[in-house]
Short mmCIF file of all heavy atoms in Angstrom, two decimals:
data_model
loop_
_atom_site.label_atom_id
_atom_site.label_comp_id
_atom_site.label_asym_id
_atom_site.label_seq_id
_atom_site.Cartn_x
_atom_site.Cartn_y
_atom_site.Cartn_z
N GLY A 397 98.80 65.57 134.18
CA GLY A 397 97.90 66.19 135.16
C GLY A 397 97.04 67.32 134.63
O GLY A 397 96.51 68.11 135.40
N PHE A 398 96.91 67.39 133.31
CA PHE A 398 96.09 68.45 132.71
C PHE A 398 94.80 67.88 132.14
O PHE A 398 94.79 66.76 131.63
CB PHE A 398 96.85 69.16 131.58
CG PHE A 398 98.07 69.89 132.03
CD1 PHE A 398 99.32 69.28 132.01
CD2 PHE A 398 97.98 71.19 132.49
CE1 PHE A 398 100.46 69.95 132.43
CE2 PHE A 398 99.11 71.88 132.92
CZ PHE A 398 100.36 71.25 132.88
N GLU A 399 93.75 68.68 132.21
CA GLU A 399 92.48 68.29 131.59
C GLU A 399 92.15 69.28 130.49
O GLU A 399 92.62 70.41 130.49
CB GLU A 399 91.35 68.35 132.63
CG GLU A 399 91.38 67.22 133.62
CD GLU A 399 90.40 67.46 134.75
OE1 GLU A 399 89.40 68.19 134.53
OE2 GLU A 399 90.66 66.94 135.85
N LEU A 400 91.30 68.81 129.59
CA LEU A 400 90.89 69.67 128.48
C LEU A 400 89.44 70.10 128.68
O LEU A 400 88.60 69.29 129.06
CB LEU A 400 91.02 68.87 127.17
CG LEU A 400 90.97 69.65 125.87
CD1 LEU A 400 92.14 70.61 125.75
CD2 LEU A 400 90.96 68.68 124.68
N ARG A 401 89.18 71.35 128.44
CA ARG A 401 87.80 71.85 128.52
C ARG A 401 87.17 71.92 127.13
O ARG A 401 87.82 71.60 126.15
CB ARG A 401 87.78 73.21 129.20
CG ARG A 401 88.14 73.09 130.67
CD ARG A 401 88.08 74.42 131.37
NE ARG A 401 88.09 74.21 132.80
CZ ARG A 401 87.21 74.71 133.65
NH1 ARG A 401 86.26 75.51 133.22
NH2 ARG A 401 87.29 74.45 134.94
N GLU A 402 85.95 72.39 127.07
CA GLU A 402 85.27 72.51 125.77
C GLU A 402 85.50 73.93 125.22
O GLU A 402 85.80 74.85 125.97
CB GLU A 402 83.78 72.21 125.96
CG GLU A 402 83.55 70.73 126.28
CD GLU A 402 82.13 70.44 126.76
OE1 GLU A 402 81.81 70.78 127.91
OE2 GLU A 402 81.35 69.89 125.98
N PRO A 403 85.37 74.09 123.89
CA PRO A 403 85.79 75.34 123.25
C PRO A 403 85.00 76.59 123.66
O PRO A 403 83.83 76.50 124.02
CB PRO A 403 85.55 75.09 121.76
CG PRO A 403 85.23 73.66 121.61
CD PRO A 403 84.86 73.11 122.93
N GLY A 404 85.67 77.74 123.55
CA GLY A 404 85.04 79.02 123.81
C GLY A 404 86.08 80.06 124.18
O GLY A 404 87.26 79.75 124.31
N CYS A 405 85.62 81.30 124.36
CA CYS A 405 86.54 82.40 124.71
C CYS A 405 87.03 82.27 126.15
O CYS A 405 88.12 82.71 126.50
CB CYS A 405 85.87 83.75 124.52
SG CYS A 405 85.40 84.06 122.81
N SER A 406 86.19 81.72 127.01
CA SER A 406 86.59 81.33 128.36
C SER A 406 87.26 82.45 129.15
O SER A 406 86.79 83.59 129.15
CB SER A 406 87.48 80.09 128.24
OG SER A 406 87.95 79.64 129.48
N ALA A 407 88.35 82.12 129.81
CA ALA A 407 89.01 83.04 130.74
C ALA A 407 89.70 84.21 130.06
O ALA A 407 90.25 85.07 130.75
CB ALA A 407 90.01 82.28 131.59
N CYS A 408 89.66 84.27 128.75
CA CYS A 408 90.27 85.44 128.09
C CYS A 408 89.54 86.70 128.54
O CYS A 408 90.17 87.72 128.81
CB CYS A 408 90.22 85.31 126.58
SG CYS A 408 90.80 86.79 125.75
N LEU A 409 88.22 86.64 128.60
CA LEU A 409 87.46 87.80 129.07
C LEU A 409 86.51 87.46 130.20
O LEU A 409 85.80 88.33 130.69
CB LEU A 409 86.75 88.52 127.91
CG LEU A 409 85.41 88.01 127.42
CD1 LEU A 409 84.78 89.04 126.50
CD2 LEU A 409 85.51 86.69 126.74
N ALA A 410 86.52 86.17 130.60
CA ALA A 410 85.81 85.76 131.82
C ALA A 410 84.35 86.18 131.86
O ALA A 410 83.85 86.62 132.88
CB ALA A 410 86.55 86.29 133.05
N MET A 411 83.66 86.04 130.74
CA MET A 411 82.22 86.32 130.75
C MET A 411 81.46 85.12 131.31
O MET A 411 80.32 85.24 131.73
CB MET A 411 81.72 86.58 129.33
CG MET A 411 81.83 88.02 128.92
SD MET A 411 80.88 88.37 127.45
CE MET A 411 79.24 88.61 128.12
N ASN A 412 82.08 83.96 131.24
CA ASN A 412 81.44 82.75 131.79
C ASN A 412 81.99 82.51 133.19
O ASN A 412 82.48 83.43 133.84
CB ASN A 412 81.70 81.57 130.84
CG ASN A 412 83.17 81.21 130.75
OD1 ASN A 412 84.02 81.83 131.41
ND2 ASN A 412 83.51 80.23 129.95
N ASP A 413 81.95 81.27 133.65
CA ASP A 413 82.41 80.99 135.02
C ASP A 413 83.93 80.89 135.14
O ASP A 413 84.45 80.76 136.25
CB ASP A 413 81.79 79.67 135.52
CG ASP A 413 80.31 79.83 135.80
OD1 ASP A 413 79.87 80.99 135.98
OD2 ASP A 413 79.59 78.81 135.82
N ASP A 414 84.64 80.92 134.03
CA ASP A 414 86.09 80.74 134.08
C ASP A 414 86.77 82.05 134.49
O ASP A 414 87.37 82.76 133.65
CB ASP A 414 86.63 80.26 132.73
CG ASP A 414 85.90 79.00 132.24
OD1 ASP A 414 85.20 78.38 133.07
OD2 ASP A 414 86.03 78.65 131.05
N LYS A 415 86.66 82.38 135.75
CA LYS A 415 87.19 83.65 136.26
C LYS A 415 88.38 83.40 137.18
O LYS A 415 88.29 82.57 138.09
CB LYS A 415 86.11 84.40 137.04
CG LYS A 415 84.99 84.97 136.18
CD LYS A 415 83.95 85.66 137.04
CE LYS A 415 82.89 86.38 136.22
NZ LYS A 415 82.10 85.55 135.33
N ILE A 416 89.45 84.13 136.97
CA ILE A 416 90.60 84.06 137.88
C ILE A 416 90.20 84.84 139.14
O ILE A 416 89.78 85.99 139.03
CB ILE A 416 91.86 84.70 137.23
CG1 ILE A 416 92.13 84.15 135.81
CG2 ILE A 416 93.08 84.57 138.14
CD1 ILE A 416 92.50 82.70 135.72
N PRO A 417 90.36 84.24 140.32
CA PRO A 417 89.94 84.94 141.54
C PRO A 417 90.77 86.20 141.82
O PRO A 417 91.91 86.32 141.35
CB PRO A 417 90.16 83.90 142.64
CG PRO A 417 90.31 82.59 141.95
CD PRO A 417 90.87 82.89 140.60
N SER A 418 90.19 87.09 142.60
CA SER A 418 90.83 88.36 142.92
C SER A 418 92.19 88.14 143.57
O SER A 418 92.33 87.31 144.47
CB SER A 418 89.92 89.16 143.84
OG SER A 418 90.48 90.41 144.08
N GLY A 419 93.18 88.88 143.10
CA GLY A 419 94.52 88.82 143.68
C GLY A 419 95.40 87.69 143.16
O GLY A 419 96.60 87.67 143.40
N LYS A 420 94.80 86.74 142.43
CA LYS A 420 95.59 85.60 141.94
C LYS A 420 96.30 85.95 140.63
O LYS A 420 95.83 86.79 139.85
CB LYS A 420 94.67 84.39 141.70
CG LYS A 420 93.98 83.89 142.96
CD LYS A 420 94.95 83.24 143.91
CE LYS A 420 94.24 82.72 145.15
NZ LYS A 420 95.18 82.33 146.21
N TYR A 421 97.42 85.27 140.42
CA TYR A 421 98.22 85.50 139.21
C TYR A 421 97.96 84.41 138.18
O TYR A 421 97.99 83.22 138.51
CB TYR A 421 99.72 85.49 139.56
CG TYR A 421 100.15 86.68 140.38
CD1 TYR A 421 100.14 86.62 141.77
CD2 TYR A 421 100.55 87.86 139.76
CE1 TYR A 421 100.52 87.72 142.53
CE2 TYR A 421 100.94 88.96 140.51
CZ TYR A 421 100.92 88.89 141.90
OH TYR A 421 101.30 89.97 142.63
N ALA A 422 97.75 84.83 136.94
CA ALA A 422 97.55 83.86 135.87
C ALA A 422 98.54 84.13 134.75
O ALA A 422 98.66 85.26 134.28
CB ALA A 422 96.13 83.97 135.32
N VAL A 423 99.25 83.08 134.34
CA VAL A 423 100.02 83.18 133.10
C VAL A 423 99.06 82.76 132.00
O VAL A 423 98.54 81.64 132.01
CB VAL A 423 101.27 82.29 133.12
CG1 VAL A 423 101.97 82.35 131.76
CG2 VAL A 423 102.22 82.74 134.21
N SER A 424 98.80 83.69 131.09
CA SER A 424 97.72 83.48 130.14
C SER A 424 98.21 83.67 128.71
O SER A 424 98.94 84.61 128.41
CB SER A 424 96.60 84.48 130.44
OG SER A 424 95.57 84.34 129.51
N THR A 425 97.75 82.77 127.83
CA THR A 425 98.15 82.89 126.43
C THR A 425 97.18 83.81 125.66
O THR A 425 97.26 83.89 124.45
CB THR A 425 98.14 81.52 125.73
OG1 THR A 425 96.78 81.05 125.67
CG2 THR A 425 99.01 80.52 126.46
N SER A 426 96.30 84.48 126.38
CA SER A 426 95.30 85.32 125.72
C SER A 426 95.91 86.66 125.31
O SER A 426 97.12 86.77 125.15
CB SER A 426 94.10 85.49 126.64
OG SER A 426 94.52 85.98 127.90
N ASN A 427 95.09 87.67 125.16
CA ASN A 427 95.55 88.90 124.52
C ASN A 427 95.52 90.15 125.38
O ASN A 427 96.04 91.18 125.00
CB ASN A 427 94.72 89.13 123.26
CG ASN A 427 93.26 88.78 123.49
OD1 ASN A 427 92.64 89.33 124.40
ND2 ASN A 427 92.73 87.86 122.71
N ARG A 428 94.87 90.10 126.53
CA ARG A 428 94.77 91.33 127.32
C ARG A 428 95.03 91.07 128.80
O ARG A 428 94.50 90.12 129.37
CB ARG A 428 93.40 91.97 127.15
CG ARG A 428 93.27 92.53 125.77
CD ARG A 428 92.04 93.38 125.57
NE ARG A 428 92.12 93.97 124.25
CZ ARG A 428 91.13 93.97 123.36
NH1 ARG A 428 89.96 93.47 123.67
NH2 ARG A 428 91.32 94.51 122.18
N ASN A 429 95.82 91.95 129.39
CA ASN A 429 96.14 91.87 130.81
C ASN A 429 95.55 93.05 131.55
O ASN A 429 96.06 93.45 132.59
CB ASN A 429 97.67 91.83 130.98
CG ASN A 429 98.36 92.92 130.19
OD1 ASN A 429 97.73 93.65 129.42
ND2 ASN A 429 99.66 93.07 130.38
N PHE A 430 94.47 93.62 131.01
CA PHE A 430 93.82 94.76 131.65
C PHE A 430 93.38 94.39 133.07
O PHE A 430 93.09 93.23 133.35
CB PHE A 430 92.58 95.18 130.86
CG PHE A 430 92.86 95.68 129.47
CD1 PHE A 430 91.89 95.57 128.49
CD2 PHE A 430 94.06 96.29 129.14
CE1 PHE A 430 92.10 96.03 127.21
CE2 PHE A 430 94.28 96.76 127.85
CZ PHE A 430 93.31 96.63 126.88
N GLU A 431 93.25 95.40 133.92
CA GLU A 431 92.72 95.19 135.26
C GLU A 431 91.39 94.44 135.18
O GLU A 431 90.50 94.85 134.43
CB GLU A 431 92.43 96.53 135.95
CG GLU A 431 93.65 97.24 136.47
CD GLU A 431 93.27 98.53 137.21
OE1 GLU A 431 92.21 98.57 137.84
OE2 GLU A 431 94.06 99.48 137.12
N GLY A 432 91.28 93.36 135.92
CA GLY A 432 90.01 92.65 136.01
C GLY A 432 89.57 91.93 134.76
O GLY A 432 88.49 91.37 134.72
N ARG A 433 90.39 91.90 133.73
CA ARG A 433 90.01 91.29 132.47
C ARG A 433 89.61 89.82 132.64
O ARG A 433 88.67 89.34 132.07
CB ARG A 433 91.19 91.41 131.48
CG ARG A 433 91.05 90.60 130.20
CD ARG A 433 90.17 91.28 129.20
NE ARG A 433 90.11 90.51 127.96
CZ ARG A 433 89.44 90.88 126.89
NH1 ARG A 433 88.79 92.01 126.88
NH2 ARG A 433 89.42 90.14 125.82
N GLN A 434 90.39 89.10 133.45
CA GLN A 434 90.13 87.67 133.61
C GLN A 434 89.31 87.37 134.85
O GLN A 434 89.27 86.25 135.33
CB GLN A 434 91.46 86.89 133.62
CG GLN A 434 92.22 87.05 132.30
CD GLN A 434 93.30 86.01 132.13
OE1 GLN A 434 94.37 86.12 132.73
NE2 GLN A 434 93.04 84.98 131.34
N GLY A 435 88.61 88.37 135.35
CA GLY A 435 87.83 88.26 136.58
C GLY A 435 88.19 89.44 137.46
O GLY A 435 89.35 89.88 137.43
N PRO A 436 87.23 89.95 138.24
CA PRO A 436 87.52 91.12 139.08
C PRO A 436 88.74 90.88 139.98
O PRO A 436 88.80 89.86 140.66
CB PRO A 436 86.25 91.28 139.91
CG PRO A 436 85.18 90.60 139.13
CD PRO A 436 85.84 89.48 138.39
N GLY A 437 89.70 91.78 139.93
CA GLY A 437 90.90 91.67 140.77
C GLY A 437 91.96 90.71 140.27
O GLY A 437 93.02 90.58 140.87
N SER A 438 91.70 90.03 139.14
CA SER A 438 92.67 89.06 138.61
C SER A 438 93.93 89.76 138.12
O SER A 438 93.89 90.91 137.69
CB SER A 438 92.04 88.29 137.46
OG SER A 438 91.67 89.20 136.43
N ARG A 439 95.04 89.06 138.19
CA ARG A 439 96.32 89.61 137.72
C ARG A 439 96.85 88.72 136.60
O ARG A 439 97.14 87.55 136.82
CB ARG A 439 97.33 89.66 138.86
CG ARG A 439 96.94 90.67 139.94
CD ARG A 439 97.78 90.45 141.16
NE ARG A 439 97.57 91.53 142.12
CZ ARG A 439 97.74 91.39 143.43
NH1 ARG A 439 98.12 90.22 143.92
NH2 ARG A 439 97.54 92.40 144.24
N THR A 440 96.99 89.30 135.42
CA THR A 440 97.33 88.52 134.24
C THR A 440 98.74 88.81 133.75
O THR A 440 99.14 89.97 133.65
CB THR A 440 96.34 88.87 133.10
OG1 THR A 440 95.02 88.63 133.56
CG2 THR A 440 96.62 88.06 131.84
N LEU A 441 99.47 87.74 133.43
CA LEU A 441 100.75 87.89 132.75
C LEU A 441 100.61 87.21 131.39
O LEU A 441 100.41 85.99 131.32
CB LEU A 441 101.88 87.22 133.55
CG LEU A 441 102.10 87.82 134.95
CD1 LEU A 441 101.53 86.92 136.02
CD2 LEU A 441 103.57 88.07 135.20
#
Side-chain angles (χ1 to χ4, degrees):
Chain A
F398 296 94
E399 286 170 26
L400 194 64
R401 291 182 166 232
E402 291 168 285
C405 297
S406 179
C408 174
L409 83 168
M411 272 194 83
N412 64 2
D413 288 340
D414 306 346
K415 289 178 173 61
I416 309 294
S418 184
K420 298 290 181 192
Y421 291 91
V423 175
S424 178
T425 67
S426 55
N427 40 57
R428 289 190 174 132
N429 49 354
F430 296 153
E431 283 183 33
R433 169 80 177 182
Q434 298 196 283
S438 60
R439 293 167 171 153
T440 303
L441 298 104

